[in-house]
Amino acid sequence: MAARPATPASPKNSKVKAPQPGQPQYGCEHVQRLFNQDQATTNTSIQHYKMILRSIFDTTPLIPQTAKPMDSAAVTILTPTYLCLQCPSTLTEEDRAKHGHKKAHRFYVDSRSGGVYCQMCDDIVWDPTFEELRLRKIGTGTFSTNRKRKNEDELFAADPSKESPQYISTNTSIASCKANGLRGIYNAGATCYQNVVLQSFLHNPVLRNFYLSDGHQSSNCEIPHCLSCAMDDMFQDFYALENTNGYTAANILSGFWISDKKAFENLVTTKEQDAHEFFQFLAEELHERNGDGKKPETGSEHSCNCIIHQTFYGKLQSTTTCQHCGGVTNQVQSFLDLSLPLENLTQKRGKKNSGAAKGPAHMTLTECLDEEYIKSDKCEYRCHNCNSMQQARRQTAIKRLPNVLSIQLKRFEFKQGRNERAAKIDTPVHFPLQLNMLPYTNRARGGDVKDNYELARSCTYDLLSVVVHVGEIDTGHYVSYCRVGDQWFQFNDHKVELAQKSDVLGAKAYLLFYIIRSLT
Amino acid sequence: MSSETGETGKAGIIVAPEGANSMDKLAHSVLDDLLYNIVHDLLIKVHRDEKMARAATAAIKVEKLASDASESSTPDAKPDVRIETDAAIYEEGKVLLKGNPLKTTKEILCPRCHLPRLLHPTDGKGAKKQDQSIIYCKKHPYIEKPGYDIYGQTWVAPGPGRGKKKKDMEKKLDPDASPAPGEGGAKDRPPNVLSFPSATCSKCKRCILVTRLNNHMGSCIGNSGRNASRAAAQKISNGGSNGGSQNNDNTPPGSQKGTPLPASRAASPRKRDGDEFDEDGDDSDPNNPKKKKPKPNVLTKKVILKSKSQSQGQGPSNKKEKVKANSMLSMEQRVDDEDSKNSTVQVAPKKSTPKGTSPIKKLKINPSSKPPQPTSGPKKGSKRERDQESESSGTLSSPPQ
């Protein structure tokens, strides 16, 4: 379970985090004393802490939640326990004082957060050394400083000479504390479908870091009306200026109008458009400006190192099994987003509900994902072995998860028949703040991954932004919610307001953006 | 632990009723424990943020004292002094905490600018008056107040006739939005009431009110045709110096190419007169038929002069002025349409709107300029020709009929 055996025989001495300006060296005077006793104490303290973190985050919760008081039987509780940093005891809050009194052990780790409790302060202390380990465990899952995700290394390949504080301070400018990226975007006349997508890009940490670290410098780019330059300028305006007034996305708009993408010709009118189409347009346009120049083709596998591919693109694998000979065919294709149909499920619900009381039909995001990426469907298929058309079962799973997972809930469907008009499906779909994508990957098919907490964590996503369409299909309006840190904001064109989690979760989402936890 | 015997869990809020069976009690105590966990997690998060901010504040303060105490002028160097405050000790380049920063440190300094953070919003929910004598960090708590954004800003409702839509009407309902972006509005408004800005079209370099930008670009750049872009490109090369004045109204693509030469020749003497009055660079464009049209007589010319000097006085960069002009345009245009039932204008009023700026504005400024027009015979003839080619010109020629 543990990534590495945590034996004290490890040759390296554990080090306390180097002092940082503007930060105390230790969490409290008592931690200071602990770390200043001798090297052996420091080593065991840090190794014990790592072990405790592993048992909290990498094992079944049964282990850390079971307290073993010295004098009575073990008891498992739901509420937090405290794991002694200086011996292998796990204690309830009540027994903690007793244990400390008897053994003179003063530090305990909270089983829910991994925070260190100091008995002498009678408070949780946030020691920089311990905190760094805790955050790394929660984030990437490993204690080593080498980044785990390969993608990110390519993206932000570090040149050691450029890492020195001197180099950074001479080559960067510090933005005002007021510049925080929170600005509205003016509606240029039925452009709210663009604004919501732009806001979700602006508050996407991967894209933000790319543009703010001069990933695409508009001053060095010679392509006229380049949309990536327009994005660069917009990121600069949002994160470097003190301006709190709305932003006028004139360059994005003109870049959009000038773009000669034939596939999007019908998108270019002054009518309100589909935000999802604009998302695809913008993603592909930015890929062409930053990527390998190949057009991403739907239905095929396309690997590229551009910022858009590293942010949004994943891979799907569909497995077709011939019902006659049992032959299996695999097909891999790249995806920019997952589109989840709502219609079938809505209809099923409708049938179920019609018998019983007519409650408001609703469903969950996981149900929609189950339908697409766990269940299999029947299809006709030309089998190579049998050399004839055969019944087959087809099943699709995610082969490679993206850093930012975008999900479209297909609320707008063209209804065949009567008057062939597009209709909006208004069924609420409940979506979570954190999403575990492991069940939808093809690794989940392999074997028993139920208890693999490390794997599950590497597939855990946090909700980043939500695009909502309100109103009717033709006259509606788009708003979006984005998360900055732990705070949610609602973006309604030029207006930015605070939002509660309940506002976000109660919204009838159209597009959802989830970011992989190990990146944040 | 508690599930064995108790009627409730650790939080003690969700209590099973008396005489409940053991499953009921268990359910209640599990739910109560879960509630406790939620509160615990929230508390840990807030505690972490607050305590780390206070600890950092203690460190920043003592470091500041240390660097003040040392003579060294290099800011990066670690001063070799020992400083002690109530909250921390500075020694050998390290900061050591004294006691619990939650108790010893009351304020929070910004880790970047080292100024104190304002801890309460200045308006709306939870607002407190800020101490004017203190310079705070520029990062303020966000404001939560209906009708205002997180910075306490609100917007002037778009004026009448500017493509009123449902959305605009809703904005008007905002309690404190001042309704009239009228004359001198910018000065009368409190600083937190903003108006919609204008932006420059990247193609024709004209300044367009943001709410019309998409519409404008659709016709200027978009698929309304090669002619549109060709016309715009020509405009840029011809009148590039005008810097986005509203007088740089462009002619619909068809008429620019199509306007017969005789028209411009016929107009030329007076045209030049006009040019002397309006120094706006674009007016020297001889291919711009609209410029000629409203200048058939002295009266109109004066009007033009007036309007030109007005707009020039306020400078091409004065966006508010432009906004105002635009709003008049739309109002006036409607009047115009009513006047002329037989005009060609109705064909596509939308398209003509962003283009017909200047002539209509002239009409507005002096409505009496309409009657004299018929007297200028030769002019009228050329006007008629243009009518067939451009609906925008039609707008202008219609009143005389």
Side-chain angles (χ1 to χ4, degrees):
Chain A
M1 255 175 282
R4 226 179 290 151
T7 44
S10 172
K12 262 201 207 156
N13 277 333
S14 301
K15 269 190 220 144
V16 172
K17 201 176 175 225
Q20 305 273 317
Q23 242 187 48
Q25 167 90 64
Y26 306 103
C28 69
E29 294 153 287
H30 316 105
V31 175
Q32 179 189 343
R33 232 173 286 153
L34 179 77
F35 281 143
N36 282 319
Q37 277 177 12
D38 49 56
Q39 186 61 49
T41 316
T42 306
N43 284 352
T44 48
S45 300
I46 288 177
Q47 265 143 20
H48 270 166
Y49 189 60
K50 285 183 177 175
M51 233 150 62
I52 289 170
L53 288 177
R54 274 189 206 111
S55 106
I56 290 175
F57 294 111
D58 291 346
T59 64
T60 155
L62 213 58
I63 295 170
Q65 288 302 128
T66 304
K68 293 169 216 102
M70 293 156 291
D71 42 5
S72 57
V75 56
T76 304
I77 59 171
L78 289 170
T79 50
T81 59
Y82 292 86
L83 292 84
C84 181
L85 189 67
Q86 286 143 299
C87 74
S89 307
T90 302
L91 304 142
T92 62
E93 197 176 351
E94 291 77 16
D95 289 334
R96 199 176 56 195
K98 243 191 279 171
H99 180 84
H101 193 68
K102 221 179 212 170
K103 301 258 176 121
H105 291 168
R106 301 303 180 197
F107 302 99
Y108 302 89
V109 182
D110 168 37
S111 71
R112 287 193 67 80
S113 63
V116 177
Y117 168 84
C118 167
Q119 199 161 54
M120 281 171 288
C121 291
D122 190 19
D123 198 5
I124 306 264
V125 291
W126 304 102
D127 182 78
T129 309
F130 286 143
E131 193 57 7
E132 192 174 64
L133 293 171
R134 190 182 77 95
L135 292 180
R136 241 184 257 151
K137 188 76 210 169
I138 294 174
T140 56
T142 107
F143 294 119
S144 87
T145 38
N146 299 328
R147 299 238 175 137
K148 197 184 178 185
R149 287 185 78 91
K150 203 179 86 211
N151 311 339
E152 226 208 342
D153 278 345
E154 293 164 4
L155 200 52
F156 302 107
D159 176 352
S161 71
K162 295 188 175 176
E163 292 288 293
S164 77
Q166 188 118 39
Y167 182 87
I168 290 172
S169 65
T170 50
N171 286 287
T172 57
S173 48
I174 293 175
S176 154
C177 299
K178 202 173 182 178
N180 54 7
L182 291 164
R183 289 176 70 183
I185 305 175
Y186 280 110
N187 190 327
T191 57
C192 56
Y193 72 99
Q194 300 186 2
N195 291 352
V196 290
V197 173
L198 292 177
Q199 288 288 5
S200 86
F201 274 43
L202 280 162
H203 296 100
N204 181 327
V206 188
L207 293 177
R208 183 197 60 202
N209 292 354
F210 173 78
Y211 278 103
L212 292 187
S213 60
D214 283 342
H216 183 106
Q217 277 176 281
S218 56
S219 49
N220 290 353
C221 178
E222 284 173 3
I223 298 165
H225 306 293
C226 168
L227 261 179
S228 195
C229 293
M231 287 298 285
D232 186 43
D233 293 342
M234 184 166 69
F235 271 100
Q236 289 299 330
D237 262 31
F238 271 67
Y239 288 97
L241 301 186
E242 281 190 11
N243 198 344
T244 55
N245 195 348
Y247 180 76
T248 307
N251 287 342
I252 301 270
L253 196 60
S254 63
F256 167 67
W257 277 106
I258 288 165
S259 163
D260 53 6
K261 274 237 164 77
K262 288 283 172 273
F264 291 93
E265 230 163 34
N266 61 341
L267 191 71
V268 181
T269 72
T270 48
K271 275 197 207 144
E272 184 69 64
Q273 296 295 332
D274 180 34
H276 179 246
E277 275 180 56
F278 183 72
F279 165 67
Q280 290 179 318
F281 161 79
L282 195 57
E284 287 177 23
E285 188 75 20
L286 294 180
H287 155 73
E288 277 186 30
R289 293 285 166 257
N290 295 295
D292 56 9
K294 280 183 220 147
K295 283 209 169 170
E297 275 172 51
T298 41
S300 68
E301 194 176 356
H302 183 210
S303 301
C304 169
N305 281 334
C306 80
I307 178 65
I308 293 297
H309 273 76
Q310 299 210 27
T311 309
F312 293 112
Y313 275 85
K315 280 174 190 171
L316 284 173
Q317 176 173 304
S318 19
T319 308
T320 315
T321 313
C322 175
Q323 297 296 86
H324 184 72
C325 68
V328 174
T329 323
N330 282 325
Q331 198 208 350
V332 178
Q333 61 180 76
S334 301
F335 66 90
L336 171 65
D337 49 23
L338 302 178
S339 286
L340 301 177
L342 302 181
E343 199 167 27
N344 291 341
L345 268 178
T346 315
Q347 276 170 358
K348 271 187 208 164
R349 282 300 148 86
K351 275 175 202 157
K352 246 187 240 169
N353 283 0
S354 60
K358 272 189 183 169
H362 62 78
M363 44 198 177
T364 64
L365 180 66
T366 40
E367 282 171 344
C368 299
L369 286 165
D370 287 354
E371 198 70 25
E372 288 294 302
Y373 302 109
I374 289 187
K375 291 183 186 161
S376 55
D377 58 353
K378 273 187 208 152
C379 63
E380 291 272 317
Y381 144 88
R382 180 156 194 94
C383 180
H384 285 292
N385 289 350
C386 312
N387 208 10
S388 61
M389 289 303 281
Q390 290 294 338
Q391 287 287 320
R393 292 209 78 82
R394 188 177 50 198
Q395 207 232 8
T396 308
I398 297 168
K399 191 173 181 233
R400 184 170 169 275
L401 283 163
N403 284 324
V404 176
L405 176 71
S406 51
I407 297 176
Q408 178 206 16
L409 300 173
K410 288 191 188 163
R411 291 199 176 276
F412 304 104
E413 299 265 359
F414 269 101
K415 284 227 173 87
Q416 297 292 321
R418 273 175 290 171
N419 35 16
E420 284 201 16
R421 273 189 66 236
K424 187 180 172 188
I425 300 169
D426 240 345
T427 319
V429 178
H430 293 300
F431 49 94
L433 284 171
Q434 55 167 285
L435 177 66
N436 178 15
M437 289 298 289
L438 180 60
Y440 312 109
T441 60
N442 54 3
R443 293 189 72 174
R445 308 280 186 272
D448 188 25
V449 290
K450 229 181 172 182
D451 289 325
N452 194 336
Y453 291 86
E454 260 188 289
L455 191 59
R457 193 180 40 235
S458 70
C459 299
T460 300
Y461 285 80
D462 289 305
L463 189 61
L464 186 65
S465 62
V466 180
V467 169
V468 184
H469 183 265
V470 286
E472 293 301 307
I473 187 160
D474 294 324
T475 57
H477 181 52
Y478 281 105
V479 294
S480 63
Y481 295 95
C482 296
R483 178 171 56 84
V484 178
D486 284 327
Q487 178 65 55
W488 283 89
F489 295 90
Q490 192 207 57
F491 296 88
N492 182 357
D493 288 335
H494 53 275
K495 224 167 185 184
V496 187
E497 285 172 87
L498 288 169
Q500 305 295 320
K501 274 181 191 156
S502 55
D503 301 333
V504 179
L505 295 179
K508 285 180 187 168
Y510 176 48
L511 302 178
L512 295 165
F513 294 89
Y514 282 92
I515 186 162
I516 192 108
R517 180 167 294 173
S518 59
L519 264 186
T520 48
Chain B
M1 152 195 79
S2 46
S3 58
E4 286 171 322
T5 49
E7 263 119 67
T8 183
K10 199 164 180 179
I13 291 169
I14 297 163
V15 185
E18 257 180 72
N21 64 37
S22 57
M23 278 313 278
D24 266 2
K25 286 181 184 170
L26 180 63
H28 277 81
S29 84
V30 166
L31 191 59
D32 193 76
D33 274 349
L34 295 180
L35 180 71
Y36 178 89
N37 283 348
I38 292 171
V39 176
H40 176 87
D41 292 352
L42 276 176
L43 204 62
I44 289 273
K45 218 175 226 174
V46 174
H47 179 273
R48 177 177 183 271
D49 290 348
E50 190 69 17
K51 192 168 183 180
M52 287 179 80
R54 303 260 193 118
T57 300
I60 291 165
K61 279 183 168 173
V62 78
E63 278 170 357
K64 177 92 172 50
L65 288 174
S67 84
D68 287 351
S70 78
E71 312 290 291
S72 151
S73 56
T74 48
D76 278 351
K78 286 171 181 168
D80 188 22
V81 286
R82 187 182 192 280
I83 299 279
E84 188 166 347
T85 65
D86 290 345
I89 301 164
Y90 182 90
E91 202 174 27
E92 295 163 2
K94 285 184 202 170
V95 175
L96 308 171
L97 286 175
K98 271 172 69 187
N100 191 332
L102 287 176
K103 287 178 188 149
T104 57
T105 309
K106 289 295 166 217
E107 60 178 345
I108 291 176
L109 296 184
C110 171
R112 283 165 73 188
C113 66
H114 294 184
L115 289 169
R117 280 267 167 82
L118 189 61
L119 299 179
H120 302 276
T122 51
D123 198 3
K125 203 171 159 186
K128 282 194 185 174
K129 274 224 159 152
Q130 75 180 88
D131 188 341
Q132 297 294 340
S133 63
I134 299 173
I135 302 164
Y136 289 103
C137 165
K138 282 178 179 165
K139 186 181 160 71
H140 288 190
Y142 300 118
I143 289 167
E144 199 174 352
K145 187 179 177 184
Y148 292 82
D149 77 347
I150 51 169
Y151 303 109
Q153 298 170 148
T154 189
W155 275 264
V156 172
R162 232 181 277 154
K164 253 192 272 173
K165 277 183 200 155
K166 250 193 217 160
K167 247 179 285 153
D168 298 340
M169 297 307 281
E170 278 160 19
K171 274 171 199 151
K172 257 189 196 158
L173 298 178
D174 285 354
D176 291 72
S178 74
E183 308 278 324
K187 286 156 217 149
D188 302 339
R189 287 198 307 259
N192 67 332
V193 179
L194 308 172
S195 64
F196 286 67
S198 297
T200 311
C201 170
S202 63
K203 192 126 198 179
C204 66
K205 307 292 175 207
R206 281 207 297 156
C207 218
I208 310 289
L209 181 70
V210 65
T211 54
R212 303 166 147 264
L213 201 59
N214 192 31
N215 247 320
H216 167 81
M217 285 184 179
S219 45
C220 184
I221 307 166
N223 46 1
S224 69
R226 304 169 309 202
N227 282 338
S229 57
R230 221 183 271 163
Q234 194 171 355
K235 195 127 294 168
I236 292 165
S237 58
N238 283 340
S241 63
N242 70 318
S245 144
Q246 76 269 35
N247 291 318
N248 179 23
D249 63 292
N250 45 18
T251 315
S255 76
Q256 183 151 61
K257 282 272 177 280
T259 304
L261 274 169
S264 70
R265 251 182 251 136
S268 59
R270 278 185 182 125
K271 167 97 215 332
R272 257 164 226 141
D273 290 351
D275 283 346
E276 280 158 23
F277 288 112
D278 34 281
E279 287 133 280
D280 256 322
D282 62 317
D283 283 341
S284 58
D285 177 2
N287 285 336
N288 190 340
K290 229 177 285 155
K291 279 280 131 56
K292 298 161 235 157
K293 208 186 315 144
K295 300 165 192 162
N297 55 63
V298 184
L299 183 55
T300 334
K301 236 186 276 168
K302 269 181 196 156
V303 170
I304 295 161
L305 171 62
K306 209 168 144 197
S307 76
K308 292 285 165 178
S309 61
Q310 207 176 35
S311 69
Q312 277 215 320
Q314 270 126 8
S317 65
N318 189 338
K319 288 179 182 181
K320 256 143 220 152
E321 194 55 40
K322 269 164 236 148
V323 169
K324 200 178 41 178
N326 268 341
S327 84
M328 288 169 182
L329 151 71
S330 324
M331 274 164 73
E332 196 53 42
Q333 180 150 45
R334 258 184 284 128
V335 175
D336 207 25
D337 288 353
E338 281 158 29
D339 286 352
S340 51
K341 302 250 152 61
N342 53 347
S343 106
T344 51
V345 142
Q346 279 91 345
V347 176
K350 250 192 181 167
K351 276 190 177 170
S352 68
T353 326
K355 289 168 184 166
T357 323
S358 123
I360 293 156
K361 200 190 96 228
K362 284 162 197 161
L363 291 179
K364 158 82 181 176
I365 285 162
N366 191 351
S368 66
S369 67
K370 282 180 200 170
Q373 270 181 343
T375 58
S376 60
K379 282 289 123 52
K380 206 182 169 194
S382 64
K383 246 179 279 157
R384 279 271 165 89
E385 278 175 37
R386 283 191 295 276
D387 283 351
Q388 283 147 18
E389 288 147 5
S390 115
E391 67 250 9
S392 178
S393 319
T395 320
L396 289 156
S397 62
S398 48
Q401 293 166 351

